């Protein structure tokens, strides 16, 4: 159940990011948003975790802001591996990673507060 909510939150976050950021597009409908969210979650969970562990000193020195740069890089990697996601440049990916982080945090905290 928690996995389904996180996947829907990711798809909603990608929809919000494509609406607000002009350099980010998802080619398709709702199923495509779910697919891109799943792929981004897998890439960010596996490769992103390793990269964050290796760059832990930079993350600590920047008070966590470098994590957004890593998320932007994982978003660009997702776009490279998926034909459904297009990212124009790094700044679009950085803005999208901020929006995706904010939306997923809000949705996950809302679901947790209703569950308790």
């Amino acid at each position: 159940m928690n996995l389904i909510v996180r996947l829907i939150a990711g798809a909603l976050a990608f929809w919000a990011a494509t609406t607000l950021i002009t350099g980010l597009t998802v080619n398709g409908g709702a199923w495509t948003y779910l697919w891109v969210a799943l792929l981004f979650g897998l890439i960010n969970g596996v490769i992103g975790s390793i990269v964050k562990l290796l760059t832990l000193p930079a993350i600590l020195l920047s008070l966590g802001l470098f994590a957004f740069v890593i998320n932007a890089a994982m978003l660009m990697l997702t776009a490279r591996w998926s034909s459904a996601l297009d990212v124009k440049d790094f700044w679009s990916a950085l803005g999208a990673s901020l929006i995706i982080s904010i939306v997923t945090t809000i949705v996950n905290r809302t679901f947790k507060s209703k569950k308790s």
Side-chain angles (χ1 to χ4, degrees):
M1 179 75 168
N2 191 20
L3 180 66
I4 294 170
V5 170
R6 293 181 86 180
L7 183 62
I8 292 171
L12 181 66
F14 268 99
W15 174 80
T18 56
T19 303
L20 296 172
I21 304 293
T22 57
L24 185 76
T25 56
V26 173
N27 305 317
W31 290 110
T32 309
Y33 280 98
L34 287 170
W35 164 248
V36 169
L38 177 66
L39 185 61
F40 178 69
L42 288 172
I43 289 173
N44 204 16
V46 176
I47 300 172
S49 297
I50 295 169
V51 172
K52 286 177 186 170
L53 183 64
L54 293 174
T55 60
L56 188 61
I59 292 173
L60 291 175
L61 285 174
S62 69
L63 302 175
L65 293 178
F66 192 69
F68 290 114
V69 174
I70 295 170
N71 285 342
M74 295 304 112
L75 187 62
M76 292 180 76
L77 185 62
T78 304
R80 181 175 282 282
W81 286 357
S82 173
S83 61
L85 177 66
D86 294 322
V87 178
K88 186 175 119 178
D89 56 359
F90 175 76
W91 297 109
S92 298
L94 186 63
S97 71
L98 289 169
I99 293 170
I100 290 169
S101 297
I102 290 168
V103 171
T104 55
T105 300
I106 290 170
V107 170
N108 287 334
R109 287 191 182 182
T110 302
F111 181 73
K112 279 187 178 180
S113 67
K114 287 186 178 182
K115 186 179 177 183
S116 298

